[in-house]
Amino acid sequence: MLSIKNLRVSINNKEILRGINLEVKPGEVHAIMGPNGTGKSTLASVIAGRDIFEVTEGEILYKGKNLLEMPIEDRASEGIFLGFQYPVEIPGVSITNFMRTAVNEQRKYRGLDPMPANEFLAKMEAKKNLLEIHAKLANRSVNEGFSGGEKKKNEIFQMAMLEPALAILDETDSGLDIDALKIVANGVNKLRRPDNAFVVITHYQRLLEYIVPDIVHVLFDGRIVRSGGKELAIELEEKGYEWIRAELV
Amino acid sequence: MEKDQNNILEEVTQGDYKYGFYTDIEMDTAPMGLNEDTVRFISAKKNEPEWLLQYRLDAYHKWLGMTEPTWAHLHHPPINYQEIIYYAAPKRKKELTSLDEVDPELVATFNKLGISLEEQKRLSGVAVDAVIDSVSVKTTFSETLEKQGIIFCSFSEAVQKVPDLVKQYLGTVVPSDDNYFAALNSAVFSDGSFCYIPKGVRCPIELSTYFRINAANTGQFERTLIIGDENSYVSYMEGCTAPMRDENQLHAAIVEIIALKEAEVKYSTVQNWYPGNKKGEGGIYNFVTKRGICKGNNSKISWTQVETGSAITWKYPSVVLMGDHSVGEFYSVAVTNNYQQADTGSKMIHLGKNTKSTIISKGISAGHSSNSYRGLVKMTKRAENSRNFSQCDSLLLGDKCGAHTFPYIKTENKTSIVEHEATTSKISDDQLFYCNQRGISTESAIGLIVNGYAREVLKQLPMEFAVEAQKLLSISLEGSVG
C-alpha cells in the first residue's frame, strides 16, 4: 500500500530524514518510535504533503501512485489520513460543517454525489457511538477551546468519519490521560480492517499496550535503525533510547 | 444553513461575476445631467405633490452649496455629476394587476437571479417589493399585509396613498442637508420602499426588497422609509445584485428608520453591487446614508449587513438612541477583494438614559483591497448609565491588502461604559494544511474559514438570507489566495 524508498528530506537546508525505507501492507499496524527530534513528525507531514519540507531524494509510492506529485487534498481523497499532534482551531466552523465539507469533497473526488444530510448525520451518530465519544462535539467549532484530550478524540472521530485506507497518527497519545488514551486506542482497534493500515507514531510504549502493532520501527537521527515485532517496543521501554544510541556508536 | 454549504462552495469555483447580465427593456429616461429641470422632471414623472417637489428643490440648492467629503479612507477619480442620468424607469403600458402582465424579460431577469416572484409568492412566504432600476414593478403580499394595517409598497406609491405619513417622517432622521450624498439623494431620489407597521402589530413575515441596477449610466438613488409604530415589530430585508458595467456607476441611497415606543425594527441587507473587474476597472460607487432613530422608550433598531460588492463602499448605518432604555445594534461583515475599497462602520448616538448599543464588525480583506472600519460611539450628558460594546475584527488574506480601524469615542457623562475590542488575524498555513489534509481544497477551505469567522454576524440574518450571504462571501473571495 505504502512504499517509501530511500527518502531524504530537508528543511532550510538541514537534512532531517536521511534515507527512510518503509513498506506498509493492507491490514498492518506499524508503530514508529524514537526520541524527540529524530524526524517522526517530519515523516508524517511529508506523507501528508506539507510543502515546507524539501524532498531531496527517494520516492513514496501509494497504491502504486507517485505520492510526491499529488496535491495534499488529493492524497486525502485517495485515503490518506493524518491525525495531528497539534490540531489547529478553526473558529466558528462547526465540526458537523467541517466534516460534511470534507466527506463531500472526498466523494466529489471519487465521482460521487454529496451525501444526503440525513445519511450524514446518522453516520456521525453511529461513529460517535462506535468510539464511545459522548461529548457533544458536533456543534462546537473545530478544536476551539478543546482540551488536549478532546482534540485527540476529535482526530480519531474524524478518522472514523473519513474511513481512510492509510491512517498516520502523529503522537496522538501525547498528553493524554489514561481514559482518553483508551478511547484513542479503542478507536484504532475498532477501525482496523484487512484492507486498511495504520502507522502509529509514538514516543512512549504506553500506547502500544492498547494498540498491538505488527511491526515496530525505531527512528533515530533520520533513519530507521531497527525494525521488529512488538517485543522491540518492550525492549525499548526497558532499556531506553540510550541503548539504541550506544549500539549505533 | 449548513446543508447548503456544499452547493455554495461549489459555486466558488465558477468564473466571473455571476449576475453580470443585462436586461433590454425600453427605458423612459431623463436627459443626462443635473439641474432644477431634472428635479422637476423626476417629480412630475411621479405625480408628486407640490410639497415634495419643494423638498427636492430645497435639497438640490443645499447640495449645490456643499462639497464632496474627503475624510474617508477612499480614493477614486472625481465623479462628474453632469454625466449621470438621474431617472430611468421601465416603460409601463398600463397598470399591472397580476404577474402575467409583467414584462417577460423582467421576469426572466428575476429567474436568472433565482428570485422569481412567482416562486417567492408561492413558496417562501416572503413579500417581495421588486425594484428594477428605479420604479417598483410589482409588489406582492400587499393584500395580506393590508389586513393587518401594514403598509409595504414602493416609496412613490406611498407618496400617493399615504402622503401624510410620508410628509410626517421624510427627512426626520436624515435631514436633506445631512451630508453631500444625502442632499443629492433628497433632490433626485427615484424610488425605494416604504413600510409602516401600525401600533401593536407584529409583522408576520419577513419583508424583502430586491434592488437591481439595470441601465448604463443610471445613478440609483433609492429612498427607503420604515416606521415602526408603538409596540410593533418588523424584520426587513434588502438584497442587491447588479449587472456588469464598464463605467462606474453612482449609487447614493438613504434609508431612514423610525422606531416609536417599544417598537423593534430589524433591518438586514446583503449588498452585492458589481465590484469592478480584477484590475479595478468599473464597479459601483456606493455612498449610502442609513440611519435609524429609537424615538420612544424601550425601542430597538438592529442593522445587519453583509457587504461584498461595490468598487467603493461608504456606509455607516447608525442609530440615534433617543428613548430611555432603547437598544441599537450593528452587525457587519464587509469583504473587499481585488481593488475594492470600503470605508464602513456605524454610529451609536446615545441620548436617552440606560440605553445600550452593540457593534460587531468583521472586515475581510483580500487582493489589493482596502477595508476600513470607522465608528463613532457618543454618550451625551443625559445618557446616564448607558453602555456600548464594540468589537472590530479584521481578517487579512494575502499581504497586499490593508485593514484600518478608526474608532471614535466621546463620553460626556461619568456613569456610562464604553468597551472597544479589536483584533487582526490571518488565515494560517496550518489551518489550510489541516483542511487540505481532510480532502478540502484551498478555495473551499477559505470559504469555510471565512464563513466561520463571520458566523457571529451571519447568524443574525434571517435564514433565507444567511444562505445567500454565505454564497456571496465565498464567491467574492474567489481566487484571492494562490
Side-chain angles (χ1 to χ4, degrees):
Chain A
M1 179 182 280
L2 181 73
S3 172
I4 301 177
K5 292 197 183 95
N6 190 32
L7 183 71
R8 298 182 89 97
V9 173
S10 299
I11 184 166
N12 300 328
N13 292 321
K14 191 184 169 226
E15 190 162 58
I16 304 204
L17 299 181
R18 309 198 292 172
I20 297 277
N21 293 291
L22 182 66
E23 291 285 333
V24 180
K25 296 191 181 71
E28 291 180 344
V29 173
H30 288 240
I32 296 179
M33 302 182 71
N36 288 327
T38 52
K40 300 191 299 290
S41 290
T42 301
L43 178 61
S45 297
V46 170
I47 296 171
R50 185 99 216 222
D51 59 6
I52 55 173
F53 300 101
E54 193 196 346
V55 176
T56 53
E57 220 182 302
E59 63 171 12
I60 306 178
L61 295 180
Y62 170 74
K63 292 181 178 171
K65 292 178 188 166
N66 180 359
L67 199 63
L68 295 173
E69 284 182 355
M70 239 185 251
I72 307 165
E73 59 268 33
D74 290 1
R75 299 182 195 200
S77 295
E78 287 282 350
I80 292 179
F81 177 89
L82 174 62
F84 286 73
Q85 186 176 0
Y86 305 108
V88 294
E89 300 185 357
I90 308 180
V93 178
S94 71
I95 290 177
T96 306
N97 200 9
F98 182 68
M99 270 294 98
R100 202 173 132 74
T101 308
V103 165
N104 285 334
E105 291 239 332
Q106 292 203 10
R107 286 174 68 96
K108 193 169 151 192
Y109 178 87
R110 296 173 196 142
L112 299 170
D113 286 335
M115 189 180 280
N118 50 356
E119 198 182 308
F120 175 81
L121 292 172
K123 184 173 180 173
M124 273 190 72
E125 209 47 45
K127 297 296 182 186
K128 265 175 72 176
N129 290 335
L130 175 75
L131 300 174
E132 292 166 49
I133 295 174
H134 306 297
K136 285 181 178 159
L137 293 175
N139 291 320
R140 290 175 64 183
S141 297
V142 178
N143 295 320
E144 197 184 25
F146 282 28
S147 67
E150 282 175 324
K151 283 185 183 173
K152 299 302 172 69
K153 280 191 240 174
N154 183 26
E155 293 293 291
I156 298 298
F157 170 70
Q158 292 183 35
M159 178 175 77
M161 287 299 293
L162 295 171
E163 299 169 335
L166 174 67
I168 302 156
L169 303 180
D170 186 8
E171 303 219 15
T172 305
D173 55 330
S174 64
L176 292 193
D177 61 27
I178 201 75
D179 291 337
L181 190 70
K182 279 182 185 166
I183 285 185
V184 168
N186 182 39
V188 173
N189 291 328
K190 282 190 169 156
L191 297 169
R192 271 183 93 156
R193 288 198 317 254
D195 62 342
N196 66 13
F198 292 84
V199 175
V200 179
I201 293 171
T202 181
H203 184 70
Y204 303 105
Q205 192 263 343
R206 192 176 63 149
L207 179 66
L208 304 180
E209 286 172 18
Y210 302 97
I211 302 173
V212 181
D214 298 299
I215 301 164
V216 176
H217 307 275
V218 179
L219 187 64
F220 194 87
D221 206 15
R223 288 192 193 95
I224 289 176
V225 294
R226 194 164 291 222
S227 298
K230 63 184 179 216
E231 57 294 341
L232 180 58
I234 297 163
E235 199 177 351
L236 260 182
E237 185 78 359
E238 283 169 3
K239 299 187 181 173
Y241 289 113
E242 283 309 310
W243 161 62
I244 296 278
R245 198 188 303 274
E247 284 212 345
L248 283 172
V249 177
Chain B
M1 194 146 95
E2 275 156 359
K3 72 175 183 215
D4 292 282
Q5 182 82 41
N6 214 55
N7 295 337
I8 292 162
L9 294 175
E10 270 167 38
E11 289 185 40
V12 176
T13 52
Q14 293 174 11
D16 287 319
Y17 183 70
K18 289 187 57 165
Y19 303 127
F21 47 81
Y22 168 69
T23 311
D24 190 15
I25 297 169
E26 226 183 316
M27 298 303 264
D28 188 356
T29 55
M32 191 182 277
L34 180 55
N35 52 46
E36 245 192 63
D37 287 342
T38 322
V39 177
R40 288 179 191 280
F41 174 87
I42 295 167
S43 192
K45 271 277 171 200
K46 296 178 161 297
N47 271 324
E48 284 176 354
E50 181 61 24
W51 66 264
L52 192 49
L53 173 63
Q54 288 311 319
Y55 179 86
R56 286 176 180 276
L57 288 171
D58 175 57
Y60 170 70
H61 289 294
K62 283 171 178 163
W63 178 76
L64 284 178
M66 297 167 90
T67 48
E68 222 180 281
T70 53
W71 44 261
H73 192 76
L74 301 168
H75 304 278
H76 58 84
I79 299 165
N80 187 339
Y81 293 90
Q82 298 306 330
E83 272 181 11
I84 292 169
I85 294 168
Y86 287 85
Y87 180 84
K91 257 187 187 165
R92 232 190 280 199
K93 296 190 173 71
K94 56 176 178 173
E95 281 294 308
L96 301 172
T97 53
S98 87
L99 256 170
D100 306 335
E101 295 173 49
V102 175
D103 188 324
E105 269 207 64
L106 216 54
V107 174
T109 305
F110 283 119
N111 286 335
K112 271 190 245 179
L113 284 167
I115 51 160
S116 134
L117 286 177
E118 251 161 338
E119 283 294 303
Q120 293 280 358
K121 215 169 166 180
R122 207 155 37 90
L123 298 173
S124 63
V126 175
V128 175
D129 178 22
V131 179
I132 274 219
D133 274 285
S134 311
V135 168
S136 270
V137 178
K138 191 72 201 164
T139 304
T140 49
F141 271 100
S142 303
E143 286 167 30
T144 321
L145 297 172
E146 256 169 45
K147 278 181 197 150
Q148 303 232 34
I150 295 169
I151 304 165
F152 178 49
C153 59
S154 72
F155 193 91
S156 315
E157 215 177 322
V159 170
Q160 307 300 326
K161 261 167 49 178
V162 283
D164 292 346
L165 266 179
V166 176
K167 195 175 177 182
Q168 187 184 346
Y169 289 106
L170 180 72
T172 58
V173 192
V174 180
S176 61
D177 58 353
D178 185 79
N179 64 68
Y180 187 78
F181 299 106
L184 180 64
N185 176 287
S186 298
V188 300
F189 65 82
S190 36
D191 210 342
S193 291
F194 178 88
C195 175
Y196 172 79
I197 314 294
K199 271 183 201 173
V201 171
R202 206 183 153 81
C203 184
I205 50 175
E206 312 270 358
L207 299 182
S208 163
T209 307
Y210 286 87
F211 290 100
R212 190 166 160 76
I213 289 186
N214 208 270
N217 275 330
T218 306
Q220 278 263 302
F221 302 94
E222 305 289 349
R223 185 87 196 196
T224 293
L225 182 55
I226 301 168
I227 303 147
D229 210 330
E230 291 178 14
N231 199 20
S232 67
Y233 168 85
V234 65
S235 169
Y236 178 92
M237 311 190 287
E238 180 204 284
C240 315
T241 56
M244 193 180 292
R245 281 282 164 266
D246 289 328
E247 306 93 324
N248 291 307
Q249 292 179 295
L250 178 65
H251 182 82
I254 292 181
V255 176
E256 294 181 282
I257 298 176
I258 295 109
L260 299 181
K261 203 169 82 184
E262 317 217 324
E264 179 177 349
V265 179
K266 203 170 146 56
Y267 182 103
S268 313
T269 181
V270 172
Q271 184 267 116
N272 185 27
W273 300 111
Y274 177 54
N277 66 16
K278 291 197 167 93
K279 292 179 198 157
E281 294 158 355
I284 304 290
Y285 289 5
N286 196 24
F287 297 93
V288 184
T289 308
K290 290 186 171 183
R291 193 177 304 154
I293 183 165
C294 286
K295 217 166 177 180
N297 294 348
N298 300 306
S299 56
K300 178 176 174 182
I301 291 175
S302 175
W303 298 100
T304 304
Q305 62 172 26
V306 175
E307 303 278 318
T308 65
S310 297
I312 286 177
T313 302
W314 181 97
K315 183 173 172 185
Y316 317 92
S318 308
V319 182
V320 179
L321 297 128
M322 191 172 148
D324 293 345
H325 301 277
S326 59
V327 176
E329 292 175 339
F330 174 72
Y331 298 94
S332 169
V333 177
V335 180
T336 53
N337 196 1
N338 300 317
Y339 287 88
Q340 278 177 273
Q341 305 173 62
D343 193 302
T344 182
S346 182
K347 287 192 277 185
M348 293 291 172
I349 314 292
H350 292 253
L351 301 176
K353 293 183 180 71
N354 302 302
T355 47
K356 228 171 88 179
S357 65
T358 305
I359 294 174
I360 307 286
S361 165
K362 302 268 182 180
I364 300 161
S365 335
H368 293 80
S369 68
S370 161
N371 202 330
S372 303
Y373 168 82
R374 186 183 303 276
L376 168 67
V377 176
K378 186 174 179 180
M379 300 287 180
T380 60
K381 204 170 172 187
R382 224 196 122 251
E384 289 160 12
N385 297 309
S386 294
R387 297 199 63 138
N388 163 267
F389 174 76
S390 301
Q391 186 184 328
C392 302
D393 297 330
S394 308
L395 184 69
L396 303 173
L397 280 73
D399 54 8
K400 293 182 180 65
C401 52
H404 315 270
T405 306
F406 304 98
Y408 303 90
I409 296 170
K410 288 180 191 164
T411 311
E412 294 167 2
N413 70 61
K414 288 183 178 162
T415 54
S416 293
I417 299 169
V418 178
E419 288 174 81
H420 181 91
E421 286 179 10
T423 66
T424 302
S425 54
K426 292 186 108 171
I427 292 182
S428 72
D429 290 342
D430 286 342
Q431 284 174 323
L432 291 178
F433 178 59
Y434 191 76
C435 293
N436 289 157
Q437 209 300 306
R438 298 301 184 243
I440 301 169
S441 68
T442 301
E443 202 97 62
S444 299
I446 289 167
L448 205 58
I449 293 166
V450 164
N451 273 301
Y453 165 80
R455 184 159 86 167
E456 222 178 325
V457 173
L458 296 180
K459 72 182 185 193
Q460 297 293 332
L461 291 171
M463 198 59 168
E464 47 275 70
F465 236 27
V467 172
E468 193 175 337
Q470 288 194 330
K471 280 190 209 181
L472 287 180
L473 286 190
S474 298
I475 290 170
S476 51
L477 287 170
E478 195 179 308
S480 58
V481 167

